[in-house]
Amino acid sequence: VYKRQNLSLGTWITTSQNPIICQGVSFTLPDNSVATSTGVYLDTLITSGGCDSVITTTLTVNPVYSISQNPVICSGAVYTLPGGGSATIAGLYVDTIASVITGCDSIITTSLTVNPVYLYSNAVSICYDTTYTLPGGTTVNTSGNYIDTLQTNRGCDSVITTILNVIQPIITTQSY
């Protein structure tokens, strides 16, 4: 006698997930293995009913940007760092900023150079009937203090104060 049996099939479950992580971070897959690279990962697990469950993980790893910059300022100036801070002293500054687009950190290393501003003073004497050409190119013939502000080859100010003394003639009278 042939006996008919009812066969019941369990439910096959398929799911997918699309996690996004930042470079340098790991993601734990459904089978408890760890992934750190962009890719598609398939995991087959057994459900509580004894059937297979396939989980497709499409992992995206966004980059962490590392940028270096080398700005130059003049002494007395203030440099605004990428993170919003201020710097006036030469040195190495590191800012970590979250990317608006990917949500991952960007690391910006700033190597700040501060060039000097030069201050010079120069005392000059000339005869009353001559002229003197100041460092800025102006010609003068009167005693006084003259200030010229010029730029150095590094783009910073060079302030030169010229103290000019015009020597007057000595007038003598003779009696006979």
Side-chain angles (χ1 to χ4, degrees):
V1 171
Y2 177 67
K3 195 172 187 185
R4 182 176 179 153
Q5 291 185 340
N6 288 335
L7 179 63
S8 77
L9 297 173
T11 306
W12 176 275
I13 300 172
T14 59
T15 59
S16 63
Q17 59 181 356
N18 300 303
I20 299 172
I21 62 172
C22 296
Q23 182 181 3
V25 176
S26 61
F27 180 79
T28 302
L29 296 165
D31 69 355
N32 286 324
S33 63
V34 175
T36 59
S37 301
T38 294
V40 177
Y41 300 88
L42 297 173
D43 291 306
T44 303
L45 305 173
I46 305 297
T47 65
S48 59
C51 297
D52 285 346
S53 172
V54 177
I55 302 171
T56 303
T57 302
T58 304
L59 180 63
T60 301
V61 179
N62 286 333
V64 172
Y65 295 103
S66 182
I67 301 166
S68 295
Q69 59 182 11
N70 301 298
V72 178
I73 62 171
C74 296
S75 181
V78 177
Y79 181 78
T80 302
L81 296 163
S86 297
T88 58
I89 299 170
L92 197 62
Y93 300 87
V94 178
D95 288 298
T96 302
I97 301 170
S99 168
V100 175
I101 297 169
T102 66
C104 298
D105 289 342
S106 294
I107 300 167
I108 304 171
T109 303
T110 303
S111 178
L112 182 64
T113 299
V114 179
N115 285 333
V117 171
Y118 295 101
L119 304 173
Y120 295 107
S121 183
N122 189 17
V124 177
S125 294
I126 62 172
C127 293
Y128 78 96
D129 59 350
T130 59
T131 61
Y132 180 77
T133 303
L134 297 169
T138 304
T139 302
V140 294
N141 62 358
T142 307
S143 293
N145 293 340
Y146 299 92
I147 298 174
D148 286 301
T149 303
L150 308 172
Q151 276 199 352
T152 67
N153 60 351
R154 293 184 178 177
C156 297
D157 286 345
S158 174
V159 180
I160 303 170
T161 302
T162 302
I163 304 161
L164 183 63
N165 180 33
V166 176
I167 301 170
Q168 297 299 319
I170 301 172
I171 301 176
T172 60
T173 57
Q174 291 182 339
S175 322
Y176 293 104

